[in-house]
Amino acid sequence: MSPVASDSAIAEAAVATPVPEDLEPAVAADGGESVEQNVTPWEVQGADGQGIDYDKLVEKFGCQKLDEATIARVERLTGMPAHPFLKRGIFFAVRDFNDILDAYEAGKKFYLYTGRGPSSESLHLGHLIPFQFTKYLQDAFKVPLVIQLTDDEKAIWKNLSVDEARRLARENAKDIIACGFDVTRTFIFADFDYVGGPFYRNIVQIARCVTYNQVKGIFGFTNDDNIGKIGFPPVQAAPSFPTSFPHLFGSDRDIRCLIPCAIDQDPYFRMTRDVAPRLGYHKPALIESRFFPALQGENTKMSASDQTSAIYVTDTAKQIQEKVRKYAFSGGRQTKEEHRALGANLDVDVPFKWLTFFLDDDEQLEAIRRDYGSGVMFTGEVKDTLIALLQGMVARHQAARTMVTEEMVDVFMSPRPLPNMFD
């Protein structure tokens, strides 16, 4: 697609063109089913306390499952092995991902966009999932990346002061930088500092395309929600459009955007995808992940407000050991005899699920699956394997974070040209 319209024509279209019928609520009434399984950008709850039914979620949201042929195509185009998150179905749903691969194969440009809502000083391991995967995408495709820190959102939703939200954004930026992103291809920005100019113009044009009733339907807002919540979605949508970053892309509208995120963020980008063609942009493509389960079970994602539900990147080796041993929900049986006879229930076993996220060795993971699932291996052995893995992983992150200086944060968060970002 090439640039298509002047700003005045686009603004007129934004008022005159009806919004497509695809803008459906994120959680729609469906014979009571959607009330039981509730997935929004702010709440994730499985039906009747069970795990999330991802097949129903894909059907309801209207995205597509990622297939083996597409994963093989990623390997062929990048010359790199697929990330374990791809091979193991952790990133499992897509929107227009093959369009991104088509463009890349044709020599056209795209950029990555992901983000973080800085509501706490320390990230937990679930927060690292999208950043670990985004780093793989950046390294594999050698493309630029923008990372949005929505400190404004957290000031609105969490009742944080503006100054505290800004402080948390900078602290979170240090953990993100510690993931190893390429400073020559990465721009991290916090909304309170960056929003303005072309970025704000895109926010306003997006806002003009979505009515109050539509935003209530998409996000489930009520009349009791403050107007800041209702006005926020265009802020998260705007990074999908390259002209929001003139220091990177100038006025070029023809650069595609790929967004790695958890599937609960899909409502924001369904809205964005409906608006994009009306404003002369490509629809952003998405690659979406399953939720990282809380220590207590699969039915919800981790909560930053419950310290026992998560392992934090600031936890000590002892804290990691105690949390896994005490809180990690086990699929093992009540007695050794029963366990030997039936094996572990891997569908509910949190230690095994966490190993599927973080254990790189496919053969070791398959051996644990076989032996634990058949009753040869016991829960204590699996938990010990996970504890050692997490202790090493968190220690490495902590060491990397100590190397992140205030000056490094300033560089990553400085609006600056990235001359070799597509090289």
Side-chain angles (χ1 to χ4, degrees):
M1 185 183 76
S2 58
V4 293
S6 67
D7 283 345
S8 60
I10 289 169
E12 183 177 355
V15 176
T17 308
V19 172
E21 295 178 356
D22 290 344
L23 279 178
E24 295 294 339
V27 182
D30 186 12
E33 179 178 303
S34 59
V35 175
E36 297 171 3
Q37 176 165 293
N38 187 29
V39 176
T40 74
W42 310 282
E43 181 181 358
V44 175
Q45 180 64 54
D48 298 324
Q50 301 302 308
I52 301 300
D53 187 327
Y54 288 101
D55 289 337
K56 289 183 179 179
L57 201 56
V58 165
E59 181 180 357
K60 181 172 292 184
F61 282 2
C63 44
Q64 299 80 41
K65 284 190 173 181
L66 183 64
D67 57 32
E68 293 294 332
T70 303
I71 296 172
R73 188 182 181 198
V74 169
E75 291 186 319
R76 176 175 60 82
L77 290 177
T78 63
M80 290 179 61
H83 195 282
F85 290 168
L86 286 177
K87 294 187 292 183
R88 297 173 187 172
I90 292 168
F91 276 80
F92 76 108
V94 294
R95 292 182 183 274
D96 291 352
F97 185 53
N98 270 305
D99 289 352
I100 289 287
L101 299 182
D102 290 343
Y104 181 79
E105 193 165 22
K108 297 181 180 178
K109 299 173 181 177
F110 77 91
Y111 68 99
L112 299 164
Y113 156 40
T114 194
R116 158 80 181 139
S119 59
S120 59
E121 188 160 314
S122 174
L123 304 188
H124 60 56
L125 296 187
H127 293 142
L128 294 184
I129 300 298
F131 295 115
Q132 291 176 334
F133 186 65
T134 300
K135 182 184 184 307
Y136 155 77
L137 292 174
Q138 183 183 61
D139 293 343
F141 288 99
K142 296 180 173 56
V143 291
L145 162 67
V146 296
I147 299 175
Q148 182 182 39
L149 300 175
T150 54
D151 46 3
D152 52 344
E153 176 197 19
K154 295 310 174 184
I156 293 168
W157 258 269
K158 299 293 185 179
N159 201 28
L160 295 172
S161 71
V162 170
D163 287 345
E164 177 64 2
R166 292 183 68 201
R167 185 187 74 82
L168 292 177
R170 192 168 177 92
E171 289 303 306
N172 283 191
K174 295 174 184 176
D175 277 313
I176 294 168
I177 293 168
C179 291
F181 290 107
D182 183 348
V183 69
T184 69
R185 291 192 175 98
T186 305
F187 172 51
I188 303 174
F189 67 98
D191 288 343
F192 276 134
D193 294 330
Y194 184 72
V195 171
F199 193 100
Y200 185 66
R201 291 197 287 274
N202 279 337
I203 289 173
V204 171
Q205 292 189 33
I206 295 165
R208 284 164 60 96
C209 291
V210 185
T211 69
Y212 175 59
N213 282 338
Q214 287 159 351
V215 82
K216 285 202 304 181
I218 297 165
F219 298 101
F221 295 141
T222 70
N223 291 336
D224 294 327
D225 283 310
N226 67 58
I227 61 175
K229 294 182 180 180
I230 296 161
F232 176 75
V235 180
Q236 186 159 322
S240 307
F241 301 157
T243 58
S244 294
F245 308 102
H247 63 284
L248 300 179
F249 309 121
S251 59
D252 191 349
R253 295 173 179 267
D254 197 31
I255 299 176
R256 294 180 180 270
C257 176
L258 173 62
I259 305 169
C261 62
I263 197 169
D264 62 334
Q265 298 300 300
D266 191 86
Y268 279 113
F269 301 114
R270 293 207 312 277
M271 181 197 78
T272 310
R273 285 167 54 82
D274 280 318
V275 169
R278 300 168 58 194
L279 299 180
Y281 297 103
H282 292 287
K283 293 182 178 182
L286 281 82
I287 182 163
E288 301 176 316
S289 73
R290 299 173 183 269
F291 303 121
F292 188 56
L295 281 168
Q296 287 85 350
E298 176 73 4
N299 62 316
T300 62
K301 64 177 182 179
M302 284 182 163
S303 171
S305 62
D306 182 358
Q307 292 286 321
T308 69
S309 73
I311 301 294
Y312 287 80
V313 297
T314 52
D315 282 349
T316 65
K318 183 178 180 181
Q319 286 174 317
I320 293 170
Q321 180 184 67
E322 291 176 346
K323 284 184 178 183
V324 172
R325 287 186 174 167
K326 184 174 182 179
Y327 298 112
F329 187 83
S330 169
R333 307 299 175 172
Q334 294 298 314
T335 66
K336 286 186 176 181
E337 291 74 19
E338 184 183 3
H339 185 83
R340 288 193 182 101
L342 300 176
N345 181 354
L346 300 184
D347 290 335
V348 301
D349 191 271
V350 169
F352 179 75
K353 287 180 178 291
W354 280 31
L355 287 172
T356 65
F357 278 82
F358 296 129
L359 183 60
D360 290 336
D361 190 323
D362 291 333
E363 292 184 1
Q364 185 182 3
L365 183 66
E366 185 55 37
I368 294 172
R369 183 195 305 275
R370 181 188 64 243
D371 293 346
Y372 191 35
S374 66
V376 174
M377 180 178 283
F378 288 89
T379 297
E381 298 173 79
V382 177
K383 285 190 174 183
D384 285 345
T385 299
L386 178 64
I387 288 166
L389 176 68
L390 297 183
Q391 287 173 335
M393 177 180 166
V394 170
R396 288 190 296 274
H397 182 88
Q398 290 172 353
R401 195 186 192 280
T402 63
M403 302 299 291
V404 179
T405 65
E406 295 294 338
E407 291 75 17
M408 288 175 65
V409 177
D410 290 340
V411 171
F412 270 95
M413 299 188 73
S414 171
R416 66 204 188 281
L418 303 175
N420 300 317
M421 60 186 175
F422 289 110
D423 186 1

